[in-house]
Amino acid sequence: MSYIEFLKEYGPRFWDGTLVTAGQFFLASALAIVIALIAGLMKLSRNGLIRGIAVVYIEIFRGTSLLVQLYWIFFVLPLFGLTLPKFTAGFVAVGMNLGAYGAELVRGGIQSVPKGQWEAAYALSMSPMRRMWRIILPQAFVNMLPPWGNLLIELLKNTALVALISVSDLMFEAKQINGSTFLSAQTFGTALIIYYVFARFIVTPFMRWLELVMRRKLGRA
Amino acid sequence: MMEDLSNYPLELTGDNVPMVRFLKVTKRYGDLVVLDQLDLDVAEGEMVTIIGPSGSGKTTVLRMLMTLETINEGVIYVDGKPLTHMEKNGKLVPADRKYLRKARSQIGMCFQHFNLFPHMTALENCMEGPVQVLGMKKAEARERAEELLELVGMSDKRDQHPSRLSGGQQQRVAIARALAMRPKVMLFDEVTSALDPEVIGEVTNVIRSLVEKHNLTMLMVTHQMGFAKDISDRVCFFFDGKIEEQGAPEDLFGNPQKERTQQFLSAVKEAD
Ligand SMILES: Nc1ncnc2c1ncn2[C@@H]1O[C@H](COP(=O)(O)OP(=O)(O)O)[C@@H](O)[C@H]1O
Ligand SMILES: [Mg+2]
């Protein structure tokens, strides 16, 4: 079977898998961003308890393997009465894991905003919430974008693990195709290329574009 | 241990209530006493300049008034009401955050490094406080911001981000931004120190016009003795967290009484 014939035969299944991977990626990214923001802000709180909760969360999710976390969420949580569909369990695990890494980026981004910005906002009598939301976060966001680009690519690669709980993503389809055809080079070569194209030609350019837009907003570009 | 504040009035009353009063204010960082039982009054509409050697506590005076620093002892009053403290059951207690937020809205401050918000245009910088803090309608805030940018001569740059502005221009926008909150007291902390010599004039001219045309109470820290002499109603010479000598500019500069003042002024003159 030529590679063209292979693609003709299995292309649609690769495509279906890619769509599921894209879904995992976007939902996990959204969750990771929300968690990172909340945990990052909590880590900067004056309140020791709030800070402590964030530290514990970050430590657990960064300090243990994503695969184990995935299995916990999919296989162990049901024992405590919380059963998630495998698609949901997949992006929740990936999102929670990368969110813990993202929290450190958020904390660092916020701390990288010069003290003078806090003081100027304070001198205008802005409330702490407004100060954070209107003055500090927009600037922190721009500083954070390059590392977030890397983190999201990491996240994309990690979504391949959800195949292990039978979410029919790209990796899962590839394994199935390989199982029936034994054309390992073609199968995993195709999967490799799709992951690469997704990362390099969609995620990276999008992050670059976002950075440019934000820098322009800051008048830096 | 809580400081005994029973000797401090809950508010200032009488005929000559100053706009600002520091009453026995002490500020320490660890063992370092930065302000030592400072008493300082500024009358309404008065322009008081603070001069003195580096590290003598000049910036700290302004930052305490902006409530950017906590107070260790004493009370600061603004317009007769306590700023750093609030009344509770007929006693003064340290102000909570909500009280501070309201109280400090009477004060405006300009910083050495401008600290404009880089993600906002000049106009947006000046609208931020009125819209977000005073709850003003956007159209109204824009009108006020435009007026103030006109006042500081920055109308034509109103849609530029700070990164597109020179230091002098940024500082003028920063002055407009602070004025947009309609403060009773304006603070200037070495606002020309970070500027190239050729643009210092555009900022000092703005401050000069504020002194001449507006009845604002102002406290200014500066190293520009000529400028201080020109526009101040009173000059305070700080040394070691205390006012070593103060008086009308012609007296303090023309005929300083204290040896330290004389030394400082001649050292500054030599450096010029
Ligand atoms: N946050 C701080 N922590 C410790 N020491 C400080 C702090 N801020 C100022 N100081 C010290 O307080 C003294 C007065 O500082 P400052 O008011 O900035 O002086 P000036 O403006 O007259 O140069 C200096 O000795 C300075 O090192
Ligand atoms: Mg200073």
Side-chain angles (χ1 to χ4, degrees):
Chain A
M1 201 197 275
S2 75
Y3 187 57
I4 301 289
E5 281 167 343
F6 172 81
L7 278 187
K8 268 210 186 108
E9 175 85 24
Y10 296 103
R13 288 182 61 187
F14 278 114
W15 177 246
D16 290 346
T18 304
L19 288 183
V20 172
T21 290
Q24 288 283 319
F25 172 74
F26 287 116
L27 291 167
S29 297
L31 184 65
I33 290 166
V34 171
I35 288 177
L37 194 59
I38 294 171
L41 286 171
M42 283 172 71
K43 217 176 159 197
L44 290 168
S45 167
R46 279 170 219 259
N47 184 316
L49 181 67
I50 292 177
R51 221 168 38 235
I53 293 171
V55 169
V56 168
Y57 176 85
I58 292 168
E59 279 302 310
I60 288 178
F61 277 85
R62 291 204 335 179
T64 64
S65 132
L66 170 56
L67 187 57
V68 177
Q69 291 161 21
L70 183 68
Y71 282 2
W72 255 85
I73 288 171
F74 189 61
F75 295 116
V76 182
L77 284 191
L79 305 180
F80 296 97
L82 182 64
T83 308
L84 294 175
K86 55 192 177 188
F87 183 86
T88 310
F91 80 76
V92 166
V94 177
M96 288 183 81
N97 179 269
L98 274 292
Y101 287 89
E104 289 296 338
L105 299 185
V106 170
R107 187 189 55 79
I110 289 171
Q111 286 179 329
S112 73
V113 177
K115 198 163 139 258
Q117 291 292 310
W118 296 82
E119 295 188 343
Y122 179 93
L124 291 179
S125 286
M126 293 177 90
S127 66
M129 281 276 277
R130 287 226 160 89
R131 211 149 68 208
M132 182 56 80
W133 194 249
R134 305 249 342 146
I135 307 301
I136 305 303
L137 275 180
Q139 297 180 57
F141 185 62
V142 186
N143 297 343
M144 271 189 268
L145 277 177
W148 265 102
N150 294 333
L151 195 69
L152 290 183
I153 286 174
E154 203 58 38
L155 183 149
L156 172 66
K157 294 190 238 167
N158 284 343
T159 61
L161 288 178
V162 302
L164 294 171
I165 57 166
S166 303
V167 177
S168 54
D169 74 333
L170 178 56
M171 193 58 201
F172 183 81
E173 294 291 352
K175 281 199 324 190
Q176 298 263 306
I177 294 166
N178 184 53
S180 54
T181 64
F182 300 104
L183 295 170
S184 302
Q186 286 91 327
T187 309
F188 292 117
T190 307
L192 210 73
I193 290 168
I194 294 174
Y195 277 115
Y196 182 78
V197 168
F198 200 139
R200 270 290 173 261
F201 296 97
I202 297 178
V203 180
T204 303
F206 173 76
M207 293 305 287
R208 291 260 163 77
W209 170 81
L210 195 62
E211 207 184 318
L212 195 73
V213 170
M214 293 310 293
R215 290 179 79 86
R216 202 165 281 154
K217 273 202 151 175
L218 261 122
R220 275 194 209 153
Chain B
M1 198 190 73
M2 194 105 113
E3 188 193 356
D4 178 20
L5 292 161
S6 55
N7 292 329
Y8 295 88
L10 294 177
E11 60 182 296
L12 308 178
T13 50
D15 285 342
N16 283 316
V17 174
M19 181 53 83
V20 175
R21 168 165 291 173
F22 283 71
L23 198 53
K24 301 211 181 326
V25 170
T26 295
K27 175 65 184 173
R28 286 182 294 260
Y29 292 109
D31 289 337
L32 179 72
V33 179
V34 179
L35 296 182
D36 189 6
Q37 299 266 317
L38 177 71
D39 285 322
L40 171 65
D41 279 7
V42 183
E44 189 179 351
E46 194 179 17
M47 162 57 119
V48 173
T49 299
I50 299 175
I51 61 171
S54 176
S56 57
K58 308 181 295 296
T59 294
T60 304
V61 171
L62 300 194
R63 289 176 61 86
M64 304 276 304
L65 191 46
M66 192 67 253
T67 70
L68 278 165
E69 304 290 344
T70 53
I71 190 165
N72 293 118
E73 283 168 33
V75 178
I76 302 175
Y77 298 86
V78 171
D79 206 10
K81 301 259 178 352
L83 171 85
T84 49
H85 296 73
M86 60 186 196
E87 188 189 329
K88 197 171 168 189
N89 305 327
K91 276 196 214 148
L92 285 180
V93 296
D96 62 22
R97 286 211 251 169
K98 200 168 151 221
Y99 183 91
L100 279 180
R101 189 150 81 235
K102 185 114 186 56
R104 73 175 184 266
S105 67
Q106 308 171 90
I107 320 282
M109 181 160 184
C110 294
F111 302 87
Q112 186 173 350
H113 296 286
F114 337 125
N115 301 351
L116 287 179
F117 305 133
H119 55 306
M120 299 180 188
T121 63
L123 191 70
E124 288 164 350
N125 263 281
C126 299
M127 290 169 60
E128 185 65 10
V131 172
Q132 295 297 326
V133 178
L134 305 180
M136 197 182 269
K137 291 244 163 50
K138 275 212 166 138
E140 199 187 343
R142 167 181 277 269
E143 207 170 297
R144 181 185 285 192
E146 280 173 350
E147 268 169 36
L148 287 165
L149 287 174
E150 174 87 48
L151 179 86
V152 300
M154 286 296 296
S155 290
D156 54 329
K157 301 274 187 197
R158 66 173 162 227
D159 295 321
Q160 299 286 348
H161 282 87
S163 58
R164 294 287 160 99
L165 303 176
S166 72
Q169 292 172 330
Q170 288 189 55
Q171 194 58 284
R172 285 187 281 155
V173 173
I175 293 172
R177 175 177 70 178
L179 289 173
M181 296 295 284
R182 299 266 157 95
K184 294 177 183 166
V185 183
M186 274 287 279
L187 311 176
F188 299 94
D189 188 14
E190 293 194 34
V191 290
T192 57
S193 293
L195 300 179
D196 292 331
E198 65 271 18
V199 299
I200 287 177
E202 58 188 63
V203 173
T204 51
N205 282 339
V206 166
I207 297 174
R208 201 185 297 268
S209 81
L210 289 179
V211 172
E212 283 162 7
K213 299 193 196 113
H214 300 265
N215 192 37
L216 256 172
T217 307
M218 292 188 257
L219 251 172
M220 175 172 85
V221 172
T222 187
H223 285 301
Q224 290 179 273
M225 297 306 150
F227 181 53
K229 192 171 172 182
D230 264 10
I231 68 157
S232 312
D233 296 310
R234 180 154 50 103
V235 178
C236 298
F237 172 66
F238 263 71
F239 194 91
D240 237 359
K242 291 200 209 58
I243 298 177
E244 178 82 6
E245 182 171 356
Q246 60 178 316
E250 49 285 5
D251 297 337
L252 193 112
F253 288 112
N255 185 20
Q257 301 299 308
K258 297 276 184 68
E259 200 184 323
R260 281 178 180 145
T261 319
Q262 293 160 1
Q263 279 168 357
F264 174 76
L265 289 176
S266 63
V268 172
K269 199 171 277 168
E270 250 165 57
D272 257 353

